[in-house]
Amino acid sequence: MSTAVRANTHACAATHVTTGLINSLRKIVKSSGLNPARLTGQWTVLEAGIAAWLESQHLRALVMEIYDPRLGYGDDLVGRFDFTIDYGYYPNGDGDLWLDPETVYYTVRKAGSFPSQCDYRFIATTSAGRPDVPGWSTTNLRSTNGFARNDVGTAIGGGSLGAGLSYYTRTAS
């Protein structure tokens, strides 16, 4: 007689990556000199949306836009961080859960700090058919014209689920 056990690690990986994403956002906010009050006030809503959409596999990216509210919308972007989700990151892996905080700190150092008057917001890009999550609404991303995207690598992993990190910097005019 033989017995086989198969465990679905996706739920565990989704929880780990959700926690890793929120904590990485906290590190970015704190290390960039931004006011953490907005993140603290949105923590529950962020966590609910990220967890739901990772579990349903609808989350494509989690974006943090940093903008200067004194400028006109559309011309106010000063920086951006993207966590791009990969559902096939390590499909034959052993279920390891990991987070590389040095990747996040490196990214913040490369992106630089932001003026104290800057504000920020979080946007989840999702695929069609995603479940609705209270506290989330639709919006458009600010234009990245005049910015260059810099890919850093994978910052968070869990099972076959990974989150790559990139940042945007203004290009020379």
Side-chain angles (χ1 to χ4, degrees), residues 48-65:
I50 294 166
W53 296 323
L54 281 174
E55 182 64 31
S56 69
Q57 297 189 16
H58 285 90
L59 184 64
R60 296 294 166 240
L62 182 61
V63 175
M64 179 179 171
E65 291 183 333

Side-chain angles (χ1 to χ4, degrees), residues 17 54 84-90 98 154-164:
V17 173
L54 281 174
T84 306
I85 307 303
D86 181 357
Y87 292 97
Y89 170 66
Y90 192 39
W98 60 271
T154 304
I156 306 165
S160 64
L161 190 56

Side-chain angles (χ1 to χ4, degrees), residues 21-58:
L21 286 169
I22 299 270
N23 285 330
S24 294
L25 290 173
R26 182 181 54 79
K27 289 174 186 163
I28 291 170
V29 167
K30 185 177 177 183
S31 299
S32 297
L34 299 168
N35 183 347
R38 176 178 291 277
L39 175 60
T40 304
Q42 295 179 356
W43 194 283
T44 303
V45 171
L46 277 169
E47 191 171 45
I50 294 166
W53 296 323
L54 281 174
E55 182 64 31
S56 69
Q57 297 189 16
H58 285 90

Side-chain angles (χ1 to χ4, degrees), residues 25-166:
L25 290 173
R26 182 181 54 79
K27 289 174 186 163
I28 291 170
V29 167
K30 185 177 177 183
S31 299
S32 297
L34 299 168
N35 183 347
R38 176 178 291 277
L39 175 60
T40 304
Q42 295 179 356
W43 194 283
T44 303
V45 171
L46 277 169
E47 191 171 45
I50 294 166
W53 296 323
L54 281 174
E55 182 64 31
S56 69
Q57 297 189 16
H58 285 90
L59 184 64
R60 296 294 166 240
L62 182 61
V63 175
M64 179 179 171
E65 291 183 333
I66 302 164
Y67 60 94
D68 186 339
R70 300 173 306 162
L71 304 174
Y73 184 85
D75 294 324
D76 59 349
L77 186 70
V78 296
R80 180 172 144 174
F81 296 90
D82 291 9
F83 287 94
T84 306
I85 307 303
D86 181 357
Y87 292 97
Y89 170 66
Y90 192 39
N92 297 321
D94 56 9
D96 280 354
L97 305 175
W98 60 271
L99 169 68
D100 184 0
E102 284 307 310
T103 298
V104 175
Y105 287 126
Y106 169 82
T107 303
V108 170
R109 284 192 305 274
K110 294 300 281 183
S113 60
F114 301 98
S116 61
Q117 71 272 7
C118 286
D119 205 349
Y120 57 93
R121 68 180 186 154
F122 307 105
I123 302 100
T125 60
T126 57
S127 59
R130 67 158 172 76
D132 288 334
V133 175
W136 288 85
S137 61
T138 59
T139 191
N140 293 313
L141 291 166
R142 287 173 164 80
S143 172
T144 55
N145 287 338
F147 285 81
R149 179 182 168 120
N150 304 280
D151 293 320
V152 179
T154 304
I156 306 165
S160 64
L161 190 56
L165 179 57
S166 59

